[in-house]
Amino acid sequence: MRFTGLGHKLVQRLGAGSSDALADTVLARTVAHALATRLRVVVVTTAALAPSLQDLVAARDVVVLPELDSQGRASPVGMGHSIAAGVSASGDADGWLIVPADMPLMKPETMLAVAQALEAYPVAYAQHRGRQGHPVGFSAELFSELVDLHGDEGARRIVARYPSQAVEVDDPGVLVDVDTVEDLQRIKAQAGG
């Protein structure tokens, strides 16, 4: 069952111990793991979810996607638009890791391993037991292609076009995201929540 009517999947709680409703949500756990890397973290979000980030990330590092374009039409959405917005907001970076917010089990060490691989490859991605997962990393040389992304496809074409390095990690969290209520229950069990 998808999260229709149950609230946004990113604000679903993973633990039961905290009195603060946002302290251990899917989003908070994912952001905490990214921050633990000590790399710069830029979060691309919607206006509805932006308040959930105010205690997690500095306001300057939160990119809110507009709901309407300059002519009052619904703005395009999708992973490609999110990646382009995040890369545009941090154009001076040495590279970028794409960390989907619905992957709260991904370890900080995994993110760092993929970031390190970008020193030798234009594209790198985490892999667990031979299965490709997240994060996917891109070196600074791919800036112009990343800021031109749009739609739901994300950066698949860029990954296919450039030499990429699989980084084998002992982290099943690179393959686990929250799309359904059942996914959330499995993640709660794995996270000890």
Side-chain angles (χ1 to χ4, degrees), residues 3-189:
F3 281 95
T4 309
L6 298 174
H8 198 284
K9 67 182 180 178
L10 295 180
V11 295
Q12 298 299 311
R13 295 192 59 199
L14 293 174
S18 174
S19 60
D20 181 356
L22 294 176
D24 197 21
T25 62
V26 172
L27 176 62
R29 180 84 58 102
T30 304
V31 169
H33 288 177
L35 291 170
T37 66
R38 301 178 86 52
L39 299 170
R40 180 177 179 201
V41 175
V42 173
V43 181
V44 179
T45 189
T46 62
L49 287 174
S52 303
L53 294 160
Q54 67 186 14
D55 293 332
L56 304 173
V57 182
R60 72 178 177 277
D61 292 327
V62 176
V63 177
V64 178
L65 295 174
E67 293 178 24
L68 302 174
D69 68 13
S70 60
Q71 281 132 12
R73 300 175 299 215
S75 284
V77 294
M79 181 65 96
H81 292 287
S82 296
I83 293 170
V87 170
S88 292
S90 56
D92 60 343
D94 293 332
W96 300 271
L97 297 179
I98 309 306
V99 178
D102 65 350
M103 298 186 78
L105 299 181
M106 187 187 311
K107 297 175 185 176
E109 304 82 53
T110 294
M111 296 177 210
L112 289 170
V114 174
Q116 185 175 9
L118 292 177
E119 293 175 13
Y121 297 91
V123 179
Y125 57 86
Q127 174 176 286
H128 178 67
R129 295 185 178 171
R131 291 180 56 204
Q132 183 175 345
H134 278 90
V136 179
F138 301 92
S139 67
E141 69 189 76
L142 299 176
F143 173 82
S144 60
E145 291 195 51
L146 292 167
V147 296
D148 283 340
L149 291 173
H150 56 279
D152 274 333
E153 187 174 310
R156 285 189 184 114
R157 290 185 190 160
I158 297 172
V159 173
R161 198 168 38 236
Y162 289 92
S164 58
Q165 177 64 36
V167 179
E168 186 66 34
V169 293
D170 184 20
D171 182 359
V174 304
L175 305 172
V176 181
D177 62 351
V178 177
D179 285 327
T180 66
V181 174
E182 294 78 16
D183 292 339
L184 179 64
Q185 296 309 317
R186 266 193 304 281
I187 286 175
K188 281 184 177 185

